[in-house]
Amino acid sequence: MSDAKPAPSPAGSPAPSPSRLAEQAKAKVPAQVTGAQSLVLSLEAMEVDTVFGIPGGAILPAYDPLLDSVKVRHILVRHEQGAGHAAEGYASATGKVGVCMATSGPGATNLVTAIADAYMDSVPIVAITGQVASAAIGTDAFQEADIRGITMPITKHNYLVTDAAQIPRVIAEAFHIASTGRPGPVLVDISKDALQAKTTFAWPPKYDLPGYRPVARPHNKQIREAARLIAAAKRPVFYVGGGVVRGRASDALREFVELTQIPVVTTLMARGAVPDSHPLHLGMPGMHGSVAAVTALQKSDLLITLGARFDDRVTGQLSTFAPEAKVIHADIDPAEISKNRTADVPIVGDVLEVIGELVKAVSADHEAGVRGDYAAWREQTAGWKATFPLGYTTPEGEEGAVSPQQVIERIGAISGPESIYVAGVGQHQMWAAQFVQYERPNAWLNSGGLGTMGYAVPAAMGAKVAEPDRVVWAIDGDGCFQMTNQELATCVINNIPIKVAIINNSSLGMVRQWQSLFYDKRYSNTDLHTSVGNRIPDFVKLADAYGCVGLRCERPEDIDATIKKAMEINDVPVIVDFVVHRDAMVWPMVPAGVSNDAIQVAKDTAPQWDREEDEATEQPEDADKDGK
């Protein structure tokens, strides 16, 4: 490789093109550039193909060279929160790092919700923000906000860059941190003068992160002890969390399940990690989990916990969760081990490597004649699954109305397992988790930990950009949809043909459900007026105003035809207003803060686990133990 430097440009000649600079960088020849050019070249070197963002004063220097990049596509969103969720959707659909960009002050603070969402759900994104000039930092300058301080608790790491020479190193570190160990968001805040300053760009930069050494390989002693517990157990359950999906370990997990023949539950964040069609899959555990999944965890004597964190929505009242179970807990993040439930066998390591080592250890036990006997347990769990399948009924007085569960079930059946389904937050989110059949990882995207209304439309947009050949459905509520529907303009202008199913019950549905159950049907501030009595807004007209195709379905007999019509339109976004009855509820349900033993399959109706025959029986009025 030649060490010769390119001849300087004659006075008055144009600056080197980005492609020329990229060639120089590829050849490891230092190039004289601005900090802004260095940023764009660094993104190109990291093989970033898409950035979602909005320009503004402090970040404006970066947007000039971005215009010339032939490798990085910038998608101009309509709100910074949309940029952050789009980066999340891109990352969640592919496993690659998503990138968003915003200016200082309100631009940066508008990213905070998406950054917090990514932090809770372990989504690898890099958020790049402009900052006021370094000399003005701390003076309350126009559009100044301490975004580094604001996001400190909700990022894996963050940076303030005031020296242009540091930009390549910081970008390389940011992508490394975001994508390794437990994935998560990293923020890079760059002062305006650093973007404008002259610097030398060379790639790759040298960096060292002495305090960041994720443990990937599990300890052999812990693997052997886990294998011993697995062989000795009589009622083991795989408790699988979103870490298995983020760690790309779904195939390895299926091999492990087949090897052991142990029943498995997949949390809200792990839907698709094991195919729903697998006979050992009991469904989703938790507040709105299946009876079989919740019961199996409660009755188990061993939890094989992989990439899960014993979230309160899964455990219910923690002190009563799986009271007879020993716990094997494997996670890449040591801070999660024994945080909520003490682990009998803690295993720190990459879940893919952990499962691989466990498969070896259990296989060796099998060859030596040491094998657990779970036949009776499998039969019992299969009985619960058969006796209490997920289902739904039409509320009294709503006969002939469109059922939201049926709508979502038919979307899943017609669109199929190769599609991507992105949900907002609330009842429609739970129904989408329950009634779409997931057969592969990364087919289900949602805001699990933070529960962010407004997630679906921009995240679906990001997923469609990442996976343009897949059908992408945003299954949204009429409340969630109104928080970020401005990104439909982004979709139309940038040829991103997502499909949006609005489950329109004219209410903040999940809040209304709680008001029905726990607040004596006092519906305080939950009526949205989107379909009952009037249509504010009319979603079909709104779709038309954005340049989308708007459809409406108000009769059960039209559900399939409406979905099929939406499936036929693939050149523009399609918005379908499914007007559903407003009193549909999500069942099963474990009321917040009580034991999972209090699970109800319908109001005041719970399964009697301790009887020989598993049948539902009427419960006292205070079955949820809320004192009412």
Side-chain angles (χ1 to χ4, degrees), residues 5 16 38 159 167 209 221 272 343 369 440 466 470 521 557 600:
K5 295 184 180 180
S38 180
Y159 297 86
I167 290 173
L209 297 166
K221 180 183 177 183
R440 63 178 189 87
R470 293 190 188 273
K521 296 185 178 180
E557 57 266 33
Q600 297 182 25

Side-chain angles (χ1 to χ4, degrees), residues 262-597:
I262 291 172
V264 58
V265 303
T266 54
T267 67
L268 178 69
M269 296 305 299
R271 303 291 287 113
V274 173
D276 282 354
S277 59
H278 197 289
L280 289 170
H281 187 235
L282 302 179
M284 180 177 74
M287 175 176 279
H288 293 296
S290 71
V291 171
V294 172
T295 307
L297 291 177
Q298 286 299 98
K299 300 295 184 182
S300 66
D301 65 359
L302 177 66
L303 300 181
I304 308 166
T305 310
L306 303 170
R309 56 189 180 89
F310 292 87
D311 177 76
D312 62 286
R313 282 300 193 257
V314 169
T315 67
Q317 188 178 58
L318 188 61
S319 61
T320 64
F321 176 67
E324 299 174 14
K326 291 186 176 180
V327 174
I328 299 167
H329 190 180
D331 203 288
I332 188 72
D333 184 356
E336 290 296 344
I337 306 289
S338 296
K339 182 178 79 174
N340 293 326
R341 173 68 176 260
T342 301
D344 296 278
V345 181
I347 305 176
V348 178
D350 182 278
V351 69
L352 182 59
E353 294 209 28
V354 170
I355 293 173
E357 292 302 311
L358 286 172
V359 166
K360 290 179 187 176
V362 172
S363 296
D365 283 349
H366 288 186
E367 290 173 7
V370 178
R371 184 186 295 264
D373 180 9
Y374 321 124
W377 174 238
R378 282 195 301 272
E379 184 178 351
Q380 187 175 27
T381 57
W384 292 327
K385 185 177 178 181
T387 305
F388 299 110
L390 288 171
Y392 53 91
T393 57
T394 302
E396 187 177 342
E398 298 285 355
E399 295 81 3
V402 174
S403 165
Q405 299 98 324
Q406 184 183 4
V407 168
I408 292 170
E409 188 174 51
R410 295 307 298 157
I411 288 173
I414 292 170
S415 197
E418 292 304 312
S419 297
I420 295 174
Y421 302 90
V422 188
V425 169
Q427 288 180 314
H428 62 279
Q429 175 191 26
M430 295 297 103
W431 289 321
Q434 291 174 334
F435 291 104
V436 174
Q437 184 155 315
Y438 298 101
E439 297 294 307
R440 63 178 189 87
N442 304 113
W444 164 245
L445 280 56
N446 82 124
S447 171
L450 198 64
T452 304
M453 292 179 69
Y455 171 89
V457 170
M461 176 175 71
K464 183 66 174 176
V465 170
E467 297 277 14
D469 295 330
R470 293 190 188 273
V471 174
V472 178
W473 278 96
I475 298 175
D476 220 354
D478 46 321
C480 288
F481 178 72
Q482 292 185 81
M483 292 194 171
T484 51
N485 67 49
Q486 70 275 357
E487 298 310 332
L488 292 175
T490 310
C491 291
V492 170
I493 291 168
N494 291 279
N495 300 311
I496 307 170
I498 64 171
K499 304 183 194 301
V500 182
I502 303 173
I503 308 302
N504 183 1
N505 60 6
S506 204
S507 302
L508 296 171
M510 186 62 85
V511 184
R512 181 183 171 90
Q513 175 168 333
W514 282 52
Q515 288 172 335
S516 294
L517 295 174
F518 310 125
Y519 293 89
D520 201 25
K521 296 185 178 180
R522 288 167 52 83
Y523 300 121
S524 174
N525 293 284
T526 47
D527 190 351
L528 293 177
H529 302 279
T530 49
S531 65
V532 176
N534 44 32
R535 289 191 167 112
I536 304 174
D538 184 318
F539 291 128
V540 174
K541 290 180 179 178
L542 184 66
D544 182 63
Y546 274 124
C548 306
V549 172
L551 306 174
R552 178 172 288 121
C553 177
E554 298 183 274
R555 303 189 307 165
E557 57 266 33
D558 295 335
I559 292 173
D560 277 23
T562 306
I563 296 168
K564 288 175 182 176
K565 186 173 181 180
M567 291 291 292
E568 292 169 358
I569 301 168
N570 294 301
D571 54 346
V572 294
V574 183
I575 315 303
V576 189
D577 181 14
F578 288 101
V579 180
V580 303
H581 56 78
R582 68 192 325 194
D583 288 319
M585 292 195 187
V586 183
W587 299 106
M589 180 177 180
V590 179
V594 305
S595 169
N596 281 350
D597 291 328

